[in-house]
Amino acid sequence: MLLCGCNDCQRATGAGHSSTFIVSASALEISGNTKSFTRPADSGATFTRHFCPECGTIIYGQSSRAGDLRLVPVGLFAGQNDWFAASRLIFCESHPAWDSLGEDLPQVAGYGDGT
């Protein structure tokens, strides 16, 4: 579970960060169709967001650096996501100061875990 302060996450959420959790691709089951958009990431990888073609809600994202992992936005579980506890903020160098977060949260300049 993590927060991401990269510029793309800021644009996607309209906030200063995104809140996501990571699961293996095999642990995620999607019913129905999705559309996707792929773009180059600041890290040099490519990042693909998969979203609902009807309402535009982001369902998950994936990086070319970690093709077997999926980043799922916690907001998908709105009203039922009290279990979320971020372990760190990644891409903290682009995270805006106005977006206040817990001061005790570890902050990492990039991905932080090598992916």
Side-chain angles (χ1 to χ4, degrees):
M1 294 185 241
L2 58 91
L3 305 177
C4 181
C6 79
N7 290 324
D8 186 61
C9 282
Q10 291 179 47
R11 284 188 287 275
T13 64
H17 69 277
S18 66
S19 302
T20 63
F21 64 96
I22 301 171
V23 299
S24 67
S26 62
L28 185 64
E29 183 178 329
I30 306 294
S31 61
N33 296 321
T34 63
K35 288 193 174 187
S36 63
F37 177 76
T38 301
R39 61 156 184 86
D42 291 340
S43 66
T46 57
F47 193 80
T48 304
R49 290 190 193 277
H50 297 264
F51 56 93
C52 172
E54 299 298 319
C55 70
T57 298
I58 297 169
I59 307 299
Y60 69 93
Q62 68 187 92
S63 170
S64 62
R65 287 189 171 186
D68 60 333
L69 299 177
R70 302 295 183 258
L71 286 82
V72 181
V74 177
L76 282 176
F77 302 93
Q80 299 176 9
N81 54 11
D82 291 344
W83 47 265
F84 182 75
S87 63
R88 65 188 177 271
L89 168 67
I90 61 173
F91 294 100
C92 66
E93 72 275 0
S94 53
H95 179 253
W98 54 260
D99 186 42
S100 299
L101 301 173
E103 292 183 25
D104 59 340
L105 188 65
Q107 298 186 10
V108 181
Y111 282 106
D113 62 359
T115 59

